Amino acid sequence: MTHEAHITVQGVPIRYRDSGGPGMPILLSHGIGGSLELWDSQFSEDLQAYRLIAWDMPGHGLSGMGEQPYDADKFARFAWQFLDALGIQRLVLAGNSLGAAVSVRMAGLAPDRVAGLLLANSASLGREVFAPFRVMTLPVLGELMNKPGKAAVERQIQAIFHKPSVATAPIREAIARNVHKPEGGKAFLATLRSMSDLGGQSKKAFSHTLGILRAMQVRVLFVHGRHDTVLPLQHSVAAHAITPRSSLLMLEDCGHTPQLEKPTEFNRELNSFVSACV
């Protein structure tokens, strides 16, 4: 039975949703500025065999702030502490955008605990990124662009969905709440600036991610929406080429958030991927 709960990890209250399914646990990690609502479509009949756990990373959604700023490695270390607190040993990691980058870093830290990786429109695979994100790395301009308000909510919806109609009322509500999270904007900018600069994603960060993928022993599934305006499809194509046991799923008419934009295809793929990993 799906339930929402809070658990305190390293003094930080973390909100998570747990489907309580009987099978392999799957950790669902959202993108920067996001929250667990972006995984709403996975808590459905299609995936009830597994134990899905979606969480709000520190500084996101309804979780506490934790020790800002977080980068992918700091989130990854924290995620393992969160899973330890839940008593979960081995699992499949599924992440979207920043959440995918965090999943790769988690696999780098504890490869024996990871049964497989699903990386949806992963961050930290190459230099190119959404122009507004590059501009936000600049002092003052980033703060102005990130001011909570209606415009910021609309900008986020335009950026992450190929068709804004995907943003149902509950999703819009969650995005608006995230945009207005006290200190949330500050945390967003601090993470963004720790991982990118005016030229794009930092070379140091994506070289590290690609290094982990090259050495990966378990199955990896890259998923990417063809119409992603935040991170180019080419990043997943190139990463797939260097990752040993990987496959690539390209989704048409889909932007940056395939798990919500194409839930039927996404859930079908996740289902067969996890049964292959088991």
Side-chain angles (χ1 to χ4, degrees):
M1 199 51 202
T2 299
H3 71 284
E4 217 161 89
H6 281 80
I7 190 169
T8 299
V9 181
Q10 305 291 310
V12 187
I14 294 294
R15 174 180 72 140
Y16 68 99
R17 183 181 294 167
D18 187 339
S19 75
M24 171 69 81
I26 307 171
L27 182 68
L28 305 169
S29 300
H30 57 74
I32 193 167
S35 57
L36 60 74
E37 283 85 359
L38 294 172
W39 295 100
D40 275 1
S41 302
Q42 281 57 61
F43 287 78
S44 65
E45 294 288 298
D46 317 341
L47 297 167
Q48 59 183 2
Y50 306 112
R51 181 181 176 188
L52 304 180
I53 294 163
W55 66 312
D56 288 344
M57 297 198 283
H60 290 77
L62 297 176
S63 285
M65 296 308 292
E67 305 237 336
Q68 298 294 334
Y70 280 81
D71 58 15
D73 288 317
K74 210 165 164 185
F75 279 126
R77 285 192 294 273
F78 191 95
W80 282 125
Q81 291 165 335
F82 166 63
L83 291 166
D84 290 342
L86 292 179
I88 292 172
Q89 186 47 39
R90 196 157 179 272
L91 73 168
V92 167
L93 302 176
N96 176 214
S97 194
L98 171 63
V102 170
S103 301
V104 176
R105 300 301 176 87
M106 288 176 72
L109 290 173
D112 52 323
R113 292 180 68 176
V114 178
L117 280 177
L118 183 148
L119 307 173
N121 297 53
S122 181
S124 198
L125 296 179
R127 186 81 169 128
E128 299 76 16
V129 72
F130 197 39
F133 276 8
R134 301 203 308 265
V135 178
M136 281 182 201
T137 62
L138 295 172
V140 187
L141 260 177
E143 277 67 16
L144 281 172
M145 288 170 75
N146 232 26
K147 246 179 92 168
K150 247 186 154 131
V153 174
E154 289 310 318
R155 259 206 308 274
Q156 196 179 129
I157 289 170
Q158 290 292 331
I160 67 174
F161 302 126
H162 177 51
K163 295 191 175 120
S165 59
V166 174
T168 56
I171 294 294
R172 267 178 181 274
E173 213 169 283
I175 291 173
R177 183 205 65 214
N178 294 343
V179 164
H180 289 88
K181 181 179 174 72
E183 297 293 295
K186 214 166 118 184
F188 172 94
L189 288 174
T191 294
L192 187 70
R193 287 164 176 167
S194 75
M195 294 178 70
S196 31
D197 54 44
L198 193 53
Q201 301 186 86
S202 107
K203 188 159 182 356
K204 189 175 165 240
F206 71 76
S207 305
H208 183 181
T209 307
L210 295 173
I212 297 170
L213 288 170
R214 266 194 198 92
M216 197 63 75
Q217 303 286 309
V218 295
R219 291 170 191 270
V220 179
L221 172 61
F222 293 93
V223 178
H224 214 112
R226 196 183 284 282
H227 296 91
D228 189 353
T229 55
V230 180
L231 293 160
L233 167 65
Q234 192 44 41
H235 285 188
S236 287
V237 174
H240 161 51
I242 61 155
T243 305
R245 299 177 62 194
S246 68
S247 41
L248 171 67
L249 170 71
M250 286 182 267
L251 291 171
E252 301 297 332
D253 292 323
C254 180
H256 188 59
T257 319
Q259 73 273 22
L260 265 186
E261 295 180 73
K262 295 281 171 187
T264 310
E265 294 91 322
F266 188 93
N267 289 356
R268 191 171 54 227
E269 287 296 322
L270 180 55
N271 203 340
S272 53
F273 177 71
V274 179
S275 51
C277 293
V278 174

